[in-house]
Amino acid sequence: MQKQKTTVHLLIMDPSQNDAESLVSLLRNSGRATRAHRVTSEEDLDEAIRTGQWDLFLARDSREEFIPDDALTMIRRLDKDIPFILLTEQDDSERSLAIMKAGAQDTAPIKETERLMLVINRELGNLEERRRRRVLESHLRESEQRCQLLLESSKDAIAYVNDGMHVYANQAYMEFLGYDDLDELMCIPLLDTLAPESQDSMRKFMKAFSETGEDGMKLNCVARRSDEQDLNITMTVSAATYDGEACMQVVVQPEHNDAELQEKIREISNQDLLTGLHNRQYLMERLTSTIATAGEKNETGALAYIGIDGFVAFKNDLGIAGTDLLLRDFAALLEEHTSDDMTLARISDEAFCILAQPCTEQAMAELCESIRKAVDDHLFDIQGRTAQVTVSIGVAAITENAPKAADLLSRAHTAHSAVREQAGKENGNGVVTYNPADYEKLDDANSMDAIAKALEENRFRLLFQPIINLRGEGEEHYEALVRMLDNDDKEVSPYDFLPPAGPSDMAMRIDRWVILQTIKQLSQHRSRGHDTRLFLNVTAETLQDKTFSQWLSVALKAARLPGDSLIFQMREGDATNYLKQAREFAKKLHELHCKVAISQFGCALNPFNTLKHVEVDYVKIDGSFTEEIQKNDEAKDKVKEMVQSLQSSGKLTIIPLVENASVLATLWQAGVNYIQGYYLQAPVPEMNYDFGDQ
């Protein structure tokens, strides 16, 4: 499935239309689809805020009639949650302090684009969290209302107790203890609802619960009803909140003799039957709880992922029965090295985990090193045969910033895998601690080295995705996409590694590599009787390359390929920023009989202005519209209007990111010419789509 970042709805306040367009391009180049509106007056801003939802306000510090301070005042007056960033010519601490006191989120020098993007991404992330929190608060209120209705209608006797006093009890609870009036019960301590002989055990029980906080703790005791009748009961307590106050939930049931059986069943469901350790389900529950505790109490924990090296070979050699014996002995050895307050679990055939809190990653790594050494030194006796085992162990810290349980387990697994990838440790037998910084994106210098090395080692791959004529005219079009194999042999786009401002020669090198390889493959493909045309993406650096058209002419002649078999595709943001160069680029390509397309169309402040200057044959509307037209009629109408305007000027339209059939009817009605997306086919190494089957 193709991933599309959420579209950013952007307000820009800038005296210069060109500078405003540059800001839109900055966001586009960072991978964010953008809908922008340039604010020109107080009335314009008032209407924009009242009629639309906006995600960001970028205002250049100027002394126009309508200044940024006035805009910020209006946003605050209308009580809108729109992050406001002031763009300055240079750092000015006094100005920054003043505007931030007035309610702005930050200031950033306009020329420091990388810093500006960091600020923008931070504020968009914060906005997303605030919106998510508001949704969750709404869901919480609804859940509390439903819970209240369920409590009142429940047949279980349930009460909420704070500091030993009842704060709420449902009808079943009052009937169980013989009370008619809730106000009367609220004056009675929980302790006084028990017979005198049970009160001491209740005090001890409550002390144990306050210390451990373990939900579901049970106490068998004797309750005394208001009519002095005694009942043997089982009281189950859990931490809870009622009316926003922390309290304790109490569930009272007549005493059952099967309580021990229920506890036994619960233990079995959380146990790995072969080793007697906890199972994966129990570990994930404990890990979720541990992560929550780390966030609430800032209490660090650690998780270790222990994998037996060469397990498949052991299984083949020892057989199933022998392998089971090995795993039991291995589990026993792990138990010897872990304390009772740690969670030890078997989570797959050959993988085990240790979870501890409080515990630092360093302490866990030291424990794991002692386990590694003990396993390495141990000789396992399997039915008279001796087996030697080694382990690869990955350790991940659990802090207040920890991800979800599944992602944290993945971190520990990643570190475990790194043991086997390290030089000289192909067979494992080591301990590695997960460092988040190691898995963040490479810096620009390393990225350039990585791309250059990949080019030299021919670690680039071409993929092709079909573009289908929605009117069923049987044309064969593909878009050529390039992927680079990184150090882990995973496919990535090399363009993602390029820094925002160049270097230009690297982008041009990639473009030319793609074009040469594509021409070769297309020439071979067409020689088999296919009348196929290819869309090729070019970067802003190639648009500015004055030698490109001459180089392309030579390449086409060498491959004996007609120019109209290639369609060169530039991005809207690049064409807007380099309008003169884009116009000349398109003109020279048309002289070679090649076609020209513009992609990511519709996100500039004035997208049709670019088409007045740059002659293109195809227009690919930005993929963010594909998602939006499925959600609201306003976007549907906008796309329809856009398509009609483009077609009236002789442009063929393409809609990308089509991922389901439900959107096709809308696109057909809008008059779209071509569609592209995973619904038809994902990018693949061969041009093998059956266009006759469309």
Side-chain angles (χ1 to χ4, degrees), residues 270-329:
N270 289 327
Q271 193 176 59
D272 174 58
L273 298 180
L274 176 64
T275 62
L277 303 180
H278 294 300
N279 59 16
R280 185 188 185 96
Q281 175 185 326
Y282 182 81
L283 175 81
M284 297 309 286
E285 290 174 1
R286 292 296 306 143
L287 184 54
T288 299
S289 174
T290 302
I291 291 169
T293 302
E296 292 166 7
K297 300 181 180 178
N298 198 21
E299 188 171 73
T300 301
L303 176 70
Y305 184 105
I306 305 170
I308 299 175
D309 298 325
F311 183 75
V312 174
F314 281 118
K315 206 167 184 178
N316 294 336
D317 188 33
L318 300 174
I320 294 175
T323 305
D324 287 351
L325 288 173
L326 174 68
L327 289 169
R328 286 196 195 101
D329 289 350

Side-chain angles (χ1 to χ4, degrees), residues 21-214:
E21 289 282 10
S22 297
L23 289 172
V24 175
S25 295
L26 182 64
L27 267 76
R28 296 282 317 172
N29 293 339
S30 73
R32 289 190 177 273
T34 309
R35 300 279 179 281
H37 174 73
R38 179 167 164 252
V39 175
T40 54
S41 65
E42 184 175 355
E43 294 75 18
D44 181 26
L45 176 59
D46 184 70
E47 183 183 355
I49 290 178
R50 292 182 188 277
T51 57
Q53 186 182 44
W54 302 96
D55 305 315
L56 186 65
F57 196 123
L58 298 178
R60 185 186 284 266
D61 203 7
S62 64
R63 290 285 170 248
E64 300 289 310
E65 185 178 342
F66 183 49
I67 62 173
D69 306 63
D70 297 333
L72 182 57
T73 301
M74 181 181 291
I75 292 171
R76 298 294 298 276
R77 176 169 54 81
L78 295 174
D79 196 23
K80 293 292 184 179
D81 185 6
I82 307 174
F84 187 101
I85 301 172
L86 183 71
L87 309 178
T88 59
E89 292 301 324
Q90 57 189 20
D91 271 325
D92 184 340
S93 58
E94 287 188 19
R95 176 64 172 139
S96 297
L97 187 61
I99 198 78
M100 289 173 74
K101 278 184 176 180
Q105 272 60 43
D106 209 340
T107 64
I110 186 68
K111 294 176 183 176
E112 295 184 26
T113 54
E114 287 190 52
R115 174 176 161 185
L116 175 57
M117 278 311 305
L118 288 172
V119 172
I120 287 173
N121 286 329
R122 182 194 69 206
E123 292 309 322
L124 289 174
N126 290 343
L127 177 66
E128 185 180 345
E129 291 299 323
R130 289 197 297 275
R131 287 176 176 168
R132 187 182 291 125
R133 189 195 69 219
R134 288 195 283 267
V135 171
L136 291 175
E137 285 173 349
S138 174
H139 290 170
L140 177 61
R141 284 193 296 272
E142 292 173 7
S143 297
E144 287 175 339
Q145 289 169 0
R146 286 197 295 270
C147 286
Q148 187 67 31
L149 291 172
L150 289 170
L151 280 171
E152 290 169 1
S153 61
S154 175
K155 293 180 180 178
D156 290 331
I158 303 172
Y160 287 88
V161 175
N162 188 7
D163 290 334
M165 299 296 293
H166 291 89
V167 293
Y168 168 81
N170 67 356
Q171 189 63 33
Y173 186 91
M174 290 194 293
E175 289 175 0
F176 190 87
L177 293 178
Y179 290 91
D180 298 322
D181 187 357
L182 179 59
D183 290 337
E184 181 186 356
L185 182 63
M186 288 177 69
C187 298
I188 299 173
L190 176 64
L191 205 59
D192 288 353
T193 63
L194 302 182
E197 64 267 25
S198 291
Q199 291 183 0
D200 191 48
S201 59
M202 180 64 178
R203 290 188 185 96
K204 293 176 182 176
F205 176 76
M206 295 309 298
K207 183 181 179 185
F209 176 73
S210 65
E211 289 174 353
T212 64
E214 182 183 339

